[in-house]
Amino acid sequence: MNTFGRNIRLTTFGESHGPAMGGILDGMPSLVKIDFAMFKDDLARRAPGRQAFTSPRKEPDEVEFLSGFNSEGITLGTPIGFIVRNRDQRSGDYAGYQGRFRPNHADYTYYKKYGINEFAGGGRASARETVSWVVGGALCRQWLATKGIEVSARFVETNSVAQAASDGDSTGGIVEGVIQGLPVGVGEPVFGKLHSRLAAAMMGINAAKAFEYGDGISAASSLGSETGDMMVPIEGRPGEYTFATNHSGGIQGGISNGMPVNFKVYFKPTPTLMRELHSYDTEGNAIVIPPKGRHDPCVAVRGVAVVEAMALLTVADMIRYL
């Protein structure tokens, strides 16, 4: 539920409008030298108010580490505890939302499941939760770099974000990711395949609606003669091969084949719109949700850092004891 991973485990806590978000990363190897300055880039790309067409909420997103390092910033192999304080929450923006269900948010489902929901910012259903994922991913990034493994992603605009924002509307988008430097042999068939673990990680991201890797959906309308990845011997390394093409997306039989692992995550439009929306409250009364608050017209813009983080956490977890 609130823990991701098996060998390297990230457990998170906190609500969007509470005092802080935080987590514990357990299973991180010892003797990894961490450059704390490197966290700023990952956190800045996820943080609101740092890029055009993102929520104007101004969060510094400075991580405070509570455990897991010696005085020189070297991991001890013990749990790494951290918090990121919420500095710019404006719960007043949600005044009057108590007992009211915002369309296409998690308000109704959380209420029906738990008998209560945090109306201010959506609590843990908010994308604010992902700040802890990015901290965990940033830690894993530095360990994976020592093994020559890199993860990167980019935003692909599907509709004009500027136009959607101007119209008080929102739009979906795509985040394309790639994992490079992964050795052959990562993945645990039958039910722990590399692509199934990646899919589970990506589909846990707020607003993610679909995942594909390699040729993905287009493979369903392709011919086998068009999608085969032919093996090519690696010079000077008998019995080892690379591939002339990468339709498989770096994964065959659920196991990495040494090629880049490329994938896409499809995000839905932000459900909050800057226009009146009709809904209902807990008493069954028809209501109108007013256009107020601070929201992203396209969550996929800031989703790039989150996609990278979940890929980093997934790969780190799967290679921890290889």
Side-chain angles (χ1 to χ4, degrees):
M1 294 181 294
N2 297 295
T3 298
F4 178 86
R6 305 171 187 178
N7 301 310
I8 293 183
R9 299 170 300 282
L10 176 67
T11 300
T12 68
F13 58 86
E15 286 79 39
S16 175
H17 284 231
M21 311 304 293
I24 298 174
L25 188 69
D26 200 6
M28 186 73 171
S30 61
L31 301 176
V32 180
K33 181 69 172 73
I34 298 297
D35 181 352
F36 295 104
M38 291 181 64
F39 285 84
K40 293 183 177 179
D41 176 62
D42 285 335
L43 287 169
R45 288 186 296 124
R46 194 225 68 91
R50 306 288 183 86
Q51 305 177 62
F53 308 116
T54 62
S55 166
R57 179 173 173 172
K58 297 291 185 182
E59 290 288 356
D61 281 355
E62 297 172 347
V63 59
E64 302 174 35
F65 288 103
L66 309 177
S67 64
F69 304 95
N70 72 359
S71 59
E72 298 177 346
I74 298 174
T75 58
L76 299 170
T78 55
I80 299 174
F82 61 88
I83 59 173
V84 179
R85 298 187 187 275
N86 295 327
R87 304 288 190 185
D88 190 32
Q89 64 270 55
R90 288 196 332 217
S91 299
D93 286 349
Y94 297 87
Y97 280 12
Q98 183 75 51
R100 296 184 165 203
F101 302 128
R102 294 170 297 166
N104 293 317
H105 282 267
D107 297 346
Y108 175 68
T109 51
Y110 266 59
Y111 181 79
K112 292 297 287 185
K113 182 175 179 64
Y114 298 108
I116 187 173
N117 72 294
E118 175 54 271
F119 68 95
R124 284 184 66 73
S126 168
R128 179 70 182 151
E129 153 70 8
T130 61
V131 69
S132 299
W133 310 359
V134 172
V135 174
L139 285 164
C140 291
R141 186 191 297 279
Q142 296 196 37
W143 173 54
L144 293 173
T146 67
K147 298 180 175 297
I149 299 172
E150 297 181 355
V151 172
S152 60
R154 71 183 188 95
F155 168 64
V156 179
E157 191 172 41
T158 54
N159 291 305
S160 171
V161 179
Q163 186 63 55
S166 176
D167 294 342
D169 211 330
S170 64
T171 179
I174 302 171
V175 175
E176 294 182 344
V178 61
I179 304 167
Q180 300 188 79
L182 204 61
V184 179
V186 179
E188 303 298 331
V190 170
F191 298 116
K193 295 183 174 75
L194 174 56
H195 56 271
S196 67
R197 294 284 300 276
L198 279 172
M202 299 306 157
M203 293 309 295
I205 300 174
N206 310 58
K209 302 300 287 185
F211 168 85
E212 67 177 6
Y213 71 99
D215 283 357
I217 295 170
S218 66
S221 57
S222 300
L223 299 173
S225 57
E226 299 171 326
T227 59
D229 293 323
M230 299 298 105
M231 302 176 73
V232 179
I234 298 177
E235 187 175 353
R237 292 160 60 180
E240 296 189 36
Y241 301 87
T242 185
F243 298 85
T245 54
N246 194 25
H247 299 287
S248 301
I251 305 171
Q252 293 170 332
I255 302 170
S256 60
N257 66 4
M259 294 289 283
V261 175
N262 51 63
F263 58 92
K264 295 179 181 178
V265 185
Y266 295 78
F267 288 85
K268 72 174 184 178
T270 313
T272 299
L273 306 180
M274 291 299 101
R275 58 181 68 176
E276 288 188 346
L277 298 174
H278 296 271
S279 188
Y280 294 86
D281 63 16
T282 55
E283 303 300 320
N285 301 308
I287 60 168
V288 174
I289 303 294
K292 65 177 182 177
R294 300 172 293 175
H295 307 283
D296 297 85
C298 180
V299 294
V301 173
R302 292 199 287 137
V304 170
V306 182
V307 165
E308 288 184 10
M310 295 312 293
L312 288 160
L313 285 162
T314 301
V315 170
D317 184 42
M318 296 187 74
I319 72 165
R320 176 64 176 89
Y321 293 110
L322 279 184

